[in-house]
Amino acid sequence: MKLFALAAAALSITVAGAAADPLEQRQANMKERGQIMRILGPIAQGRADFDAAAVNEALAKLETNAEAAADVDALWPQGSDTGDTKAASAIWDDFDAYKAENEKYAQAVAAAVAAAPQDLAAFQAAFGPVGGSCGSCHEKYRNE
Ligand code: HEC
């Protein structure tokens, strides 16, 4: 019984910790996406040389980053459209649609990783839906 209480207390601390600052958490997650895109974007646009190892490493990082944002309820709790955030209230108008948008992005990233592109054309084909997902989500769910 005592053990159970301890475990429950530990659990509630963990949960409270995770929910401590969802704004900071999701913005840090997004910033990391931006950093990874600064490697991939110029290669996709032909402004930097294609390097299969660098590309696949960056794609893997993008997948880990997307997995870290899979818990939409934790990162985008109801009411977190106030304060220092650009999250649009549209997110909570239809939360399921937002979850679907997040999932669509994660799948585009997973597909790009699975494609394991070895040349520029293959990379561009896999990368298109990833970049497109950033844009389509921001257009609908991020304030200017
Ligand atoms: C499912 C929706 C969604 C997807 C997909 C998405 N974003 Fe975002 N992004 C947002 C929202 C909403 C915000 C605003 C978050 C806030 O201010 O609380 C944001 C904010 C950002 C920011 C600003 C972070 C800050 O506060 O400094 C960057 C940079 C960013 N996104 C980059 C990207 C990139 C790059 C991709 C694709 C690789 C991407 N995002 C994919 C929804 C998304």
Side-chain angles (χ1 to χ4, degrees), residues 26-27 30-31 33 85-86 105 134 137-138 142:
R26 72 197 184 204
Q27 288 169 359
M30 288 289 166
K31 280 195 185 103
R33 281 180 200 187
T85 177
K86 292 200 162 102
Y105 166 74
C134 308
C137 187
H138 289 164
R142 186 173 68 166

Side-chain angles (χ1 to χ4, degrees), residues 20-39:
D21 198 347
L23 265 64
E24 228 166 72
Q25 240 180 303
R26 72 197 184 204
Q27 288 169 359
N29 180 270
M30 288 289 166
K31 280 195 185 103
E32 189 183 44
R33 281 180 200 187
Q35 281 159 8
I36 300 166
M37 292 304 261
R38 278 197 280 280
I39 299 169

Side-chain angles (χ1 to χ4, degrees), residues 37-52 54-55 119-120 123-124:
M37 292 304 261
R38 278 197 280 280
I39 299 169
L40 294 174
I43 296 175
Q45 293 160 4
R47 292 189 285 113
D49 288 341
F50 178 81
D51 173 338
V55 159
D119 61 42
L120 180 58
F123 168 55
Q124 285 170 329

